[in-house]
Amino acid sequence: MSEMISELCGHGPETPFMAENHAAMQRMMNGMNIAPYGDVDRDFAAMMIPHHQGAIEMAQAELRHGHNEQLRRIAQEIIVEQQQETVAMRLALGQALTPPAAAPDQAKDVKLFAATSGARPTATATTAH
């Protein structure tokens, strides 16, 4: 598997970013490959929800590896907007909502802040909405 990632993504400093994006795009494409329900609205949401999740994962990779502050802000906006749209699609279809999860670095950052500041981590992390 690592050989395939190296072949697709190269060997430079961008390799981890490219590998994460490639994995996110594979999950997105697999998730969008649905059998039709026979209901246009349900089919649309069934394909768009994994599409949005892919965008979220790609934006999270930008936040982990990117340095351009303008692009990092755009990535943050993508995460918030795509999460909101996913919730709206699930609600429109009467689907149960799952509790939001912290971004992979978010939980670590909360614990690190608590460890270095003496503060106690809370159960919820704050994000801009």
Side-chain angles (χ1 to χ4, degrees):
M1 179 74 165
S2 61
E3 287 178 19
M4 181 179 76
I5 291 173
S6 291
E7 186 177 309
L8 292 170
C9 304
H11 300 285
E14 72 283 356
T15 300
F17 169 77
M18 293 301 293
E20 288 179 37
N21 271 284
H22 178 72
M25 288 180 12
Q26 287 297 114
R27 281 189 297 276
M28 178 184 71
M29 296 305 291
N30 290 339
M32 291 174 59
N33 188 19
I34 65 159
Y37 291 104
D39 175 338
V40 171
D41 296 326
R42 190 169 170 180
D43 290 345
F44 171 75
M47 289 184 284
M48 288 306 294
I49 290 170
H51 184 270
H52 279 38
Q53 184 60 39
I56 290 166
E57 291 174 15
M58 293 170 73
Q60 289 170 336
E62 167 63 19
L63 292 177
R64 277 190 291 279
H65 302 286
H67 304 289
N68 182 300
E69 286 306 313
Q70 184 177 9
L71 293 175
R72 291 174 52 80
R73 278 192 301 278
I74 290 169
Q76 290 170 331
E77 292 171 8
I78 288 169
I79 292 168
V80 170
E81 291 167 2
Q82 299 293 289
Q83 287 174 336
Q84 290 172 341
E85 290 177 10
T86 297
V87 167
M89 284 185 276
R90 289 186 187 279
L91 288 173
L93 297 177
Q95 295 178 350
L97 301 179
T98 56
D105 288 0
Q106 196 173 26
K108 178 181 70 177
D109 291 345
V110 170
K111 290 177 188 172
L112 178 63
F113 171 76
T116 58
S117 70
R120 295 179 51 111
T122 59
T124 60
T126 58
T127 58
H129 288 280

